[in-house]
């Protein structure tokens, strides 16, 4: 009999798995389930990318650990106007099978504990735990201006952690953010950068939703702290290519030993991202008009869907700032706390369970994103519609308005009504 490592065994994805199983079960009984639980962009693969992949099918060689040279160079050119020459020249690109592995490799390579703003994406904390590192939570505030981390709070938490014998050494910042759909305002980045510099905290900037930014602005902390920031990104979100498993990283040359450490991790684990995929992905970074238009059109539709959700939820009295990017909302049911408690609903998990069992609405509980048990938040994703049909209509000249959602995403509207029914019970 084998014994599973205790740390690994303690990492469970119960809310996601439980929701997934129940959704399948209900759908197999032909019940209508509103699916706001899983965040996968619904748009199709652009024709150019399909063709590029077909043309690259013959590529079968192992590639260099850092990635295919032409892809690496094309990516640098693509990001040069975004980050500026200095950051590009002071970093190297790393290609991986998904940015998740870049995040994991960075956490592995940099000794010490993780500062994690809350709420944050579900995988940062388990990754740190797998590496036997502590997770030090950093509070945030969420409002119509964005996702805010108070720099002085951050400094205090770093000092306190050190007094407790911990070793805070890195922070993961993610904007636009999963789960909130909010972004860190550009004018708040310099103070955060300064604290990280002063306190010797390495920044991992998760920019996987960087191009799904509803005002078209790409914000990054990387150029502010070029030697102490690594970026992770990829094509999973703005090109809806999650299953292609392609991630990109910018790794600063000025962080002593980091490049070498990552090269060792890559060569002893995944070796390289698949050759045909790397070859095909060059096309994603050549600024072809059709690809750029596709990204913009998908982002416009995400904005319509998810901002309509924010507005609809607010209309029901739920706290829901207008989202700024990605494809999520992170509603807070605190105004209904007493009435929900009277119905036995006291945690985010209770809300998730009630909505799925009694209202056929799948969501994820705030707890999965690091929130305390009794914080009454959910992550909901506005992606439950036929992306191919919606995109074709928009590209064919349809206007992005209420009737667009009625026609192409009726389940998104229905889900907003269901939230109304859920909280309306309390009135
Ligand atoms: C915030 C965030 N970061 C990173 C990832 C990982 O993306 P991938 O591994 O597909 O590049 C995801 C995927 O859902 C995400 O939401």
């Amino acid at each position: 009999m084998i014994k599973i490592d205790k740390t690994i065994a303690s990492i469970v994805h119960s809310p996601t798995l439980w929701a997934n199983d129940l959704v399948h079960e209900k759908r197999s009984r032909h019940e209508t389930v509103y699916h706001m639980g899983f965040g996968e962009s619904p748009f199709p693969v652009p024709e150019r990318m399909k063709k590029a992949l077909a043309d690259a099918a013959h590529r079968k060689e192992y590639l260099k650990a850092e990635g295919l040279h032409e892809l690496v160079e094309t990516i640098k050119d693509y990001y040069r106007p975004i980050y500026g020459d200095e950051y590009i020249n002071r970093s190297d690109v790393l290609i991986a099978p998904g940015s998740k592995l870049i995040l994991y490799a960075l956490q592995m390579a940099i000794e010490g504990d993780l500062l994690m703003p809350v709420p944050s994406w579900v995988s940062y904390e388990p990754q740190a735990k797998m590496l036997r590192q502590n997770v030090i939570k950093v509070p945030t505030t969420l409002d119509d201006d964005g996702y805010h981390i108070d720099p002085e709070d951050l400094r205090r938490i770093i000092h306190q952690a050190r007094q407790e014998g911990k070793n805070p050494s890195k922070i993961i910042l993610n904007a636009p953010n999963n789960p909130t759909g909010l972004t860190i305002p550009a004018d708040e980045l310099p103070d955060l950068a300064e604290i990280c510099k002063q306190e010797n905290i390495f920044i991992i900037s998760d920019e996987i939703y960087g191009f799904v930014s509803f005002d078209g602005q790409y914000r990054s902390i990387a150029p502010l702290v070029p030697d102490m920031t690594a970026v992770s990104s990829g094509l999973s979100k703005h090109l809806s290519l999650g299953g292609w498993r392609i991630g990109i990283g910018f790794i600063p040359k000025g962080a002593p030993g980091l490049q070498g450490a990552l090269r060792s991790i890559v060569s002893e684990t995944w070796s390289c991202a698949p050759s045909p995929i790397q070859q095909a992905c060059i096309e994603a970074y050549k600024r072809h008009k059709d690809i750029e238009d596709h990204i913009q059109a998908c982002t416009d539709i995400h904005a319509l869907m998810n901002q309509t959700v924010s507005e609809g939820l607010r209309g029901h009295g739920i706290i829901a700032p207008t989202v700024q990017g990605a494809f999520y909302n992170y509603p807070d049911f605190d105004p209904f706390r007493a009435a929900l408690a009277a119905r036995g609903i006291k945690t985010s998990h209770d809300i998730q369970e009630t909505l799925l069992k009694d209202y056929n609405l799948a969501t994820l509980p705030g707890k999965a994103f690091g929130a305390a048990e009794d914080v009454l938040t959910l992550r909901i994703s506005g992606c439950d519609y036929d992306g191919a049909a919606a995109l074709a209509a928009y590209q064919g000249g349809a206007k992005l308005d209420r009737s667009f959602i009625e026609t192409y995403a009726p389940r998104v509207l229905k889900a907003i009504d269901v939230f109304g029914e859920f909280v309306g019970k309390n009135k």
Side-chain angles (χ1 to χ4, degrees):
M1 248 263 282
I2 59 154
K3 280 192 181 157
I4 301 299
D5 177 275
K6 281 196 187 63
T7 307
I8 302 299
S10 73
I11 295 167
V12 283
H13 287 288
S14 47
T16 326
L17 289 184
W18 174 79
N20 221 355
D21 289 349
L22 204 54
V23 167
H24 283 302
E25 204 184 297
K26 281 175 178 280
R27 284 194 166 159
S28 69
R29 291 198 303 260
H30 303 288
E31 287 177 38
T32 306
V33 183
Y34 304 105
H35 213 330
M36 299 194 112
F38 303 104
E40 194 164 336
S41 180
F43 300 111
V45 180
E47 288 307 318
R48 182 187 291 278
M49 299 302 298
K50 281 192 210 163
K51 178 168 184 322
L53 185 56
D55 291 347
H58 65 283
R59 296 211 60 160
K60 63 185 180 65
E61 69 279 28
Y62 286 104
L63 298 173
K64 282 201 293 187
E66 56 271 32
L68 182 67
H69 181 71
E70 193 186 344
L71 177 59
V72 164
E73 291 305 311
T74 313
I75 288 171
K76 283 189 194 161
D77 287 344
Y78 191 83
Y79 277 87
R80 204 172 280 280
I82 296 171
Y83 294 142
D85 285 340
E86 194 189 349
Y87 183 69
I88 296 290
N89 295 341
R90 285 165 77 161
S91 60
D92 275 333
V93 168
L94 172 68
I95 312 293
S99 68
K100 192 183 255 190
L101 279 176
I102 295 180
L103 291 161
Y104 189 56
L106 283 164
Q107 292 214 60
M108 186 184 286
I110 300 165
E111 189 180 71
D113 300 324
L114 175 69
L115 291 154
M116 187 183 85
V118 172
S120 268
W121 181 48
V122 286
S123 290
Y124 306 145
E125 184 167 1
Q127 287 190 347
K129 283 192 179 155
M130 285 180 191
L131 297 162
R132 276 76 174 163
Q133 296 172 358
N134 293 304
V135 173
I136 302 158
K137 294 187 176 178
V138 179
T140 63
T141 49
L142 312 174
D143 58 31
D144 280 335
D145 293 330
Y147 179 99
H148 312 276
I149 299 166
D150 181 328
E152 287 314 317
D153 264 358
L154 177 59
R155 194 198 298 280
R156 184 181 48 74
I157 285 164
I158 294 168
H159 290 183
Q160 192 182 323
R162 285 183 182 142
Q163 272 169 14
E164 288 166 7
K166 294 180 184 149
N167 176 19
S169 62
K170 59 208 160 196
I171 185 166
I172 304 184
L173 300 177
N174 168 227
N177 171 267
N178 177 2
T180 63
L182 299 173
T183 206
I184 305 174
D187 61 359
E188 293 179 17
L189 293 174
D191 283 350
L192 290 175
E194 196 48 42
I195 302 272
C196 291
K197 263 191 239 172
Q198 287 170 9
E199 299 294 338
N200 198 27
I201 301 294
F202 189 87
I203 301 170
I204 301 172
S205 183
D206 178 349
E207 300 178 9
I208 194 79
Y209 297 96
F211 296 108
V212 191
S213 170
F214 301 155
D215 65 1
Q217 300 275 316
Y218 194 106
R219 299 169 186 81
S220 176
I221 198 165
L224 301 176
V225 214
D227 295 335
M228 286 280 284
T229 307
V231 172
S232 63
S233 187
L235 300 177
S236 299
K237 308 301 173 183
H238 62 278
L239 273 179
S240 318
L241 290 176
W244 281 30
R245 304 312 298 132
I246 189 87
I248 69 163
F250 285 89
I251 313 298
K253 295 176 192 167
L258 186 58
Q259 303 266 353
L262 289 176
R263 207 166 300 119
S264 303
I265 294 170
V266 174
S267 57
E268 304 312 335
T269 53
W270 68 79
S271 296
C272 65
S275 312
I277 299 281
Q278 292 205 43
Q279 180 67 43
C281 286
I282 294 171
E283 296 305 317
Y285 292 105
K286 281 205 158 161
R287 293 203 187 279
H288 293 296
K289 186 173 180 316
D290 51 315
I291 297 285
E292 295 299 307
D293 287 351
H294 175 98
I295 295 169
Q296 186 61 53
C298 297
T299 301
D300 291 347
I301 299 173
H302 283 312
L304 173 75
M305 298 298 169
N306 293 286
Q307 291 184 334
T308 301
V309 172
S310 322
E311 202 183 306
L313 295 173
R314 277 202 306 278
H316 296 313
I318 300 160
I319 299 171
T322 302
V323 291
Q324 300 164 316
F327 22 86
Y328 310 108
N329 268 266
Y330 187 71
D332 185 342
F333 294 79
D334 198 59
F336 301 92
R337 181 174 291 279
L340 288 173
R343 287 158 65 187
I345 301 170
K346 295 181 179 152
T347 64
S348 58
H349 188 257
D350 292 342
I351 303 184
Q352 181 209 22
E353 198 171 286
T354 308
L355 282 170
L356 187 48
K357 281 194 178 151
D358 300 347
Y359 294 83
N360 283 347
L361 174 56
T363 61
L364 287 181
K367 186 169 186 283
F369 299 86
E373 184 100 29
D374 62 344
V375 170
L376 298 180
T377 50
L378 295 177
R379 190 201 74 175
I380 60 176
S381 150
C383 289
D384 187 9
Y385 58 94
D386 178 344
L391 185 65
Y394 180 43
Q395 290 183 324
K399 263 182 56 189
L400 292 183
D401 54 14
R402 184 86 185 176
S403 81
F404 186 93
I405 314 187
E406 281 163 6
T407 310
Y408 297 102
R411 283 192 303 277
V412 171
L413 287 182
K414 182 66 192 154
I416 301 171
D417 293 345
V418 172
F419 278 112
E421 281 167 40
F422 172 66
V423 297
K425 283 210 155 188
N426 308 312
K427 281 181 187 157

